[in-house]
């Protein structure tokens, strides 16, 4: 074979590379395949279409809690509220204790999945930390839509 190196040492190195390359490629491929479920995408209510965020897929939904939308069910412990980006609104249902800083008109990020009826079932709700903080994804989404109205300066 004329394409093989003439040196026995170089030929041995070539065979080692030829043997190791597929194993390494397989390992990288399997790692990427395994990590695909741990990636969580962020959407605002107007971006969360059935094509981008299908039912059952774990995503993050962020925006502002609509005023007057928080409804607590004392029998089941569910809390239902609407999240908006001032262009669209999505109904969110969460079971559990909400963060102390959760309130109407404030920015939140909810992690969970859309149901077949396009309501959002949250498994985790994150609220802002102080008066000047809004989750980065929410602030960027509101800025892109021209809805960002900071009280005192830009988002941190």
């Amino acid at each position: 074979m004329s394409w093989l190196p003439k040196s026995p040492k170089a030929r041995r190195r070539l065979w080692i590379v030829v043997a190791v390359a597929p194993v390494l490629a397989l390992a990288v491929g399997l790692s990427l395949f395994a990590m695909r479920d741990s990636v969580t995408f962020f959407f605002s209510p107007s971006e969360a279409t059935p094509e981008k965020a299908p039912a059952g897929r774990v995503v993050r939904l962020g925006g502002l809690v609509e005023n007057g939308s928080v409804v607590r069910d004392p029998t089941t412990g569910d809390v239902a509220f609407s999240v908006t980006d001032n262009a669209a609104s999505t109904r969110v249902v969460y079971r559990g204790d909400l963060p102390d800083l959760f309130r109407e008109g404030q920015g939140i990020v909810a992690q969970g999945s859309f149901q077949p009826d396009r309501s959002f079932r949250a498994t985790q709700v994150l609220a802002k930390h102080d008066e000047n903080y809004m989750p980065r994804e929410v602030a960027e989404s509101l800025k892109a839509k021209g809805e960002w109205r900071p009280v005192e300066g830009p988002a941190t």
Side-chain angles (χ1 to χ4, degrees), residues 71-91:
V71 178
R72 298 175 193 274
D73 184 354
T75 59
T76 63
D78 285 354
V79 179
F81 55 93
S82 292
V83 174
T84 184
D85 59 359
N86 295 327
S89 178
T90 300
R91 192 79 177 149

Side-chain angles (χ1 to χ4, degrees), residues 14 25-26 31 44-45 67 69 96 108 114 121 139 145-146:
L14 179 63
L26 181 66
S31 297
S44 67
N67 290 326
S69 69
I108 64 116
F114 281 96
R121 184 71 175 171
K145 292 183 178 9

Side-chain angles (χ1 to χ4, degrees), residues 35 41 64-65 69 74 77 92 109 128 145:
M35 288 190 304
F41 294 100
L64 303 172
V65 178
S69 69
V92 177
V109 174
K128 67 180 208 154
K145 292 183 178 9

Side-chain angles (χ1 to χ4, degrees), residues 122-134:
T123 56
Q124 182 180 28
V125 174
L126 307 171
K128 67 180 208 154
H129 291 252
D130 62 25
E131 291 303 315
N132 297 323
Y133 174 79
M134 180 177 290

Side-chain angles (χ1 to χ4, degrees), residues 5 8 11 74 104 129:
R11 191 176 291 169
E104 295 176 351
H129 291 252

Side-chain angles (χ1 to χ4, degrees), residues 10-82:
R11 191 176 291 169
R12 190 173 26 233
R13 285 186 194 144
L14 179 63
W15 284 115
I16 290 173
V17 168
V18 167
V20 170
V23 173
L24 184 60
L26 181 66
V28 169
L30 288 174
S31 297
L32 292 174
F33 181 76
M35 288 190 304
R36 83 187 191 307
D37 290 335
S38 66
V39 174
T40 306
F41 294 100
F42 174 84
F43 296 102
S44 67
S46 60
E47 296 171 341
T49 62
E51 296 80 33
K52 290 183 180 178
R57 181 176 177 196
V58 176
V59 296
R60 287 186 177 164
L61 179 72
L64 303 172
V65 178
E66 278 188 318
N67 290 326
S69 69
V70 179
V71 178
R72 298 175 193 274
D73 184 354
T75 59
T76 63
D78 285 354
V79 179
F81 55 93
S82 292

